[in-house]
Amino acid sequence: MSEIPKDSLKAILLELECHFTWNLLKEDIDLFDVEDTIGQQLEFLTTKSRLTLYNLLAYVKHLKGQNKDAVECLKQAEEIIQREHSDKEEVQSLVTWGNYAWVYYHMDQLKEAQKYIDKVGNVCKKLSSPSDYKLERPEIDCEKGWALLKFGGKYYQKAKAAFEKALEAEPDNPEFNIGYAITVYRLDDSDREGSIKSFSLGPLQKAVTLNPDNSYIKVFLALKLQDVHAEAEGEKYIEEILDQISSQPYVLRYAAKFYRRKNSWDKALELLKKALEATPTSSFLHHQMGLCYRAQMIQIKKATRNRPKGKDKLKVDELITSAIFHFKEAVERDSMFAFAYTDLANMYAEGGQYSNAEDIFQKALRLENITDDHKHQIHYHYGRFQEFHCKSENTAIHHYLEALKVKDRSSLRTKLTSALKKLASKRLAHNDSDVQSLSALGFVYKLEGEKRQAAEYYERAQKIDPENAEFLTALCELRLSI
């Protein structure tokens, strides 16, 4: 084919279906953590497509400015295609070729970029695609789903849509069902609104039926069964898995999570330590270990009515130190791990290290490109820290309100509204002109649908601060709806 001018080349590149056109933004992930995780999965996770992982790793290398390394990853992907997908070599190569074209374009090797564009174009022509450089294939949708999933919570809905599209073409494809089930499981887990979601139970059961030898998908089903109060049934899967495997860290980590949630902390820690030997840089494993030590600490404090003495006190201090160590490791290895930040900050507070706690909370509050659920959780925990450890009620109210403004429906909603009402009412008992408390109660009652009460509090706030636009707007809305 004749040489294409650079501007026209860019327009064609944007048509290709590959990691460079799927809007995977580097600011949404910790590049080093994702690169590390992909490396671990290539070494230990036998159930996941190595082709998919090498393509994704090539894109991550590009985002790090390592285009030569990206090319090497794409060569590995090509070898896998020739070895494992020779029956569908051209179709399976489309994403890899698209990635090659983009990498060479960024390296200013335009002839090489065009060579791969032409390869894609030839396959599209051969298979009578309505588009010159794009082919609708479920294998591509599946690969897109895995890539989106790796970029975090903001991408889960898009990942779900990609897997759904793949399943429309092949409803019983084993790999497509695994991808879909894990995505819906993650959505269940990340978007709770007060109750356990179980949308993923059916998809997980189907994925296990289609992949009876796959330990990785079975462990997710076990966790979901535990979620829906079928723990004994879930544990049968876990025991079966642990009998079959000895050191698969990706299976051990979720088996450990099952035992942690069952309060079998020693068993959980045993499995986590085993997994950590294989993958010592895993932020997930360090976070899970921190959660186990925290749970053991809470148990002792409950048993001693929050007044541990002697050996109990020494044990509590030891557990706090261990939890801090592992939460800190998790944050250092994944700078976008929002829950690890709040857990670390809270553990510092537990140990009386308030300036360290404040420092970590400030880092968490500055996190960008995280989900609303994560922002919501950070504001809630920082509000509690301010109320109970720093005795700064103004700041606490501000952050409780911020949490509700970010996301007003969640498992924390009752705790948040209750904390706000209690704190604001206490402050008004001392000073009935406290405008922050009046407006906070107005906001909470409005949120709960108690319009008349909300209007009363906003009216009182507005009398004190008549020029406040927020109070005026809220009052207008309330009066029109009463």
Side-chain angles (χ1 to χ4, degrees):
M1 290 189 187
S2 59
E3 198 169 318
I4 304 168
K6 189 170 184 180
D7 289 348
S8 306
L9 202 67
K10 180 71 181 281
I12 294 168
L13 284 166
L14 290 165
E15 278 188 62
L16 302 176
E17 278 285 352
C18 65
H19 293 74
F20 289 81
T21 59
W22 290 338
N23 291 319
L24 303 162
L25 305 178
K26 71 176 180 180
E27 54 266 30
D28 290 332
I29 55 166
D30 182 309
L31 283 172
F32 293 92
D33 181 66
V34 169
E35 181 182 22
D36 192 41
T37 304
I38 297 168
Q40 290 168 13
Q41 291 185 340
L42 281 165
E43 188 175 352
F44 296 106
L45 193 55
T46 52
T47 55
K48 226 173 191 176
S49 163
R50 294 174 71 75
L51 168 60
T52 298
L53 289 167
Y54 273 116
N55 266 324
L56 184 57
L57 187 55
Y59 182 63
V60 171
K61 294 280 189 190
H62 159 74
L63 292 178
K64 289 177 72 189
Q66 299 167 353
N67 285 320
K68 284 183 181 173
D69 291 343
V71 170
E72 290 307 310
C73 292
L74 294 171
K75 284 179 184 171
Q76 296 269 17
E78 276 193 310
E79 282 177 26
I80 291 165
I81 292 164
Q82 285 156 16
R83 197 168 61 241
E84 297 175 17
H85 303 284
S86 53
D87 56 330
K88 295 197 284 186
E89 193 173 324
E90 287 183 328
V91 167
Q92 288 286 6
S93 297
L94 290 170
V95 172
T96 307
W97 289 342
N99 286 339
Y100 261 129
W102 271 98
V103 172
Y104 280 126
Y105 174 80
H106 283 292
M107 292 169 84
D108 221 28
Q109 296 183 30
L110 302 188
K111 280 191 177 175
E112 284 295 309
Q114 186 173 339
K115 182 176 97 177
Y116 285 100
I117 282 173
D118 291 346
K119 280 176 179 260
V120 174
N122 289 336
V123 175
C124 290
K125 195 173 181 182
K126 184 177 166 183
L127 297 176
S128 307
S129 171
S131 168
D132 290 342
Y133 297 100
K134 187 186 274 192
L135 187 68
E136 293 284 340
R137 292 291 302 197
E139 297 91 339
I140 294 173
D141 293 318
C142 176
E143 182 149 6
K144 184 179 182 180
W146 284 120
L148 288 160
L149 201 55
K150 185 61 75 187
F151 270 66
K154 286 170 77 172
Y155 294 82
Y156 290 170
Q157 287 292 352
K158 288 179 185 172
K160 179 175 173 242
F163 284 119
E164 281 171 342
K165 195 174 168 198
L167 285 168
E168 278 173 27
E170 295 181 31
D172 293 327
N173 179 295
E175 191 193 347
F176 301 172
N177 275 279
I178 285 180
Y180 178 69
I182 289 174
T183 304
V184 187
Y185 174 84
R186 295 262 181 91
L187 280 166
D188 273 0
D189 228 28
S190 69
D191 190 27
R192 292 184 179 176
E193 292 180 1
S195 59
I196 298 295
K197 287 190 170 178
S198 55
F199 297 121
S200 61
L201 184 59
L204 283 164
Q205 287 167 327
K206 183 177 179 183
V208 167
T209 304
L210 291 169
N211 299 272
D213 299 324
N214 189 319
S215 304
Y216 187 60
I217 194 66
K218 278 183 188 169
V219 81
F220 284 105
L221 175 57
L223 285 166
K224 184 46 61 177
L225 287 165
Q226 187 181 44
D227 268 347
V228 298
H229 312 298
E231 190 170 71
E233 191 186 342
E235 192 159 9
K236 282 179 192 167
Y237 281 107
I238 297 287
E239 286 168 353
E240 179 191 317
I241 291 161
L242 292 177
D243 280 345
Q244 291 167 355
I245 62 145
S246 57
S247 60
Q248 283 183 22
Y250 272 81
V251 178
L252 291 175
R253 60 161 64 181
Y254 292 111
K257 185 176 179 180
F258 182 94
Y259 285 113
R260 175 181 66 76
R261 299 197 316 186
K262 196 188 170 201
N263 298 340
S264 301
W265 301 303
D266 290 336
K267 178 72 175 171
L269 283 164
E270 177 197 325
L271 295 173
L272 289 167
K273 284 171 184 172
K274 203 171 176 182
L276 211 52
E277 281 172 22
T279 54
T281 55
S282 166
S283 55
F284 179 96
L285 291 173
H286 281 292
H287 184 243
Q288 288 291 316
M289 287 192 76
L291 292 176
C292 286
Y293 290 126
R294 183 182 73 181
Q296 289 177 321
M297 180 269 296
I298 290 168
Q299 186 189 37
I300 295 171
K301 288 191 81 172
K302 273 186 181 170
T304 57
R305 294 184 181 177
N306 278 336
R307 290 181 181 174
K309 295 188 180 97
K311 279 185 184 173
D312 286 332
K313 178 75 171 76
L314 288 171
K315 186 64 182 170
V316 163
D317 290 345
E318 182 191 313
L319 290 165
I320 289 171
T321 302
S322 297
I324 284 172
F325 172 81
H326 287 288
F327 289 145
K328 201 173 170 186
E329 287 285 309
V331 164
E332 282 173 4
R333 295 177 193 287
D334 182 358
S335 62
M336 302 289 285
F337 198 161
F339 289 137
Y341 279 95
T342 53
D343 289 333
L344 175 58
N346 285 331
M347 201 46 64
Y348 273 134
E350 191 69 50
Q353 299 178 46
Y354 298 138
S355 64
N356 284 342
E358 177 67 34
D359 182 46
I360 298 300
F361 271 124
Q362 288 305 322
K363 283 181 181 171
L365 288 163
R366 286 195 296 271
L367 286 176
E368 292 178 10
N369 305 303
I370 55 173
T371 64
D372 284 349
D373 189 54
H374 287 154
K375 289 177 192 168
H376 173 75
Q377 294 266 354
I378 290 164
H379 283 295
Y380 167 70
H381 285 288
Y382 188 54
R384 283 183 62 78
F385 172 69
Q386 287 294 327
E387 181 179 359
F388 296 107
H389 293 291
C390 303
K391 309 299 179 191
S392 175
E393 294 174 350
N394 281 4
T395 313
I397 287 177
H398 171 75
H399 285 280
Y400 288 149
L401 285 169
E402 285 300 305
L404 284 169
K405 285 172 186 173
V406 170
K407 190 176 181 188
D408 62 11
R409 303 192 72 79
S410 80
S411 55
L412 293 177
R413 177 176 164 152
T414 307
K415 287 180 180 175
L416 274 163
T417 53
S418 169
L420 267 169
K421 282 181 185 174
K422 196 172 171 183
L423 190 50
S425 301
K426 182 181 96 173
R427 285 161 62 85
L428 287 170
H430 293 294
N431 174 13
D432 63 5
S433 300
D434 178 25
V435 76
Q436 187 194 28
S437 296
L438 289 168
S439 64
L441 287 170
F443 182 84
V444 172
Y445 282 117
K446 185 183 171 198
L447 196 65
E448 292 179 336
E450 302 286 346
K451 294 174 184 177
R452 289 187 191 283
Q453 274 180 289
E456 280 174 30
Y457 282 109
Y458 273 122
E459 277 164 7
R460 285 170 64 184
Q462 201 240 335
K463 277 178 189 168
I464 300 160
D465 185 2
E467 302 302 313
N468 189 301
E470 186 192 331
F471 304 163
L472 288 167
T473 306
L475 267 172
C476 284
E477 282 177 19
L478 287 162
R479 282 169 180 157
L480 285 169
S481 64
I482 291 172

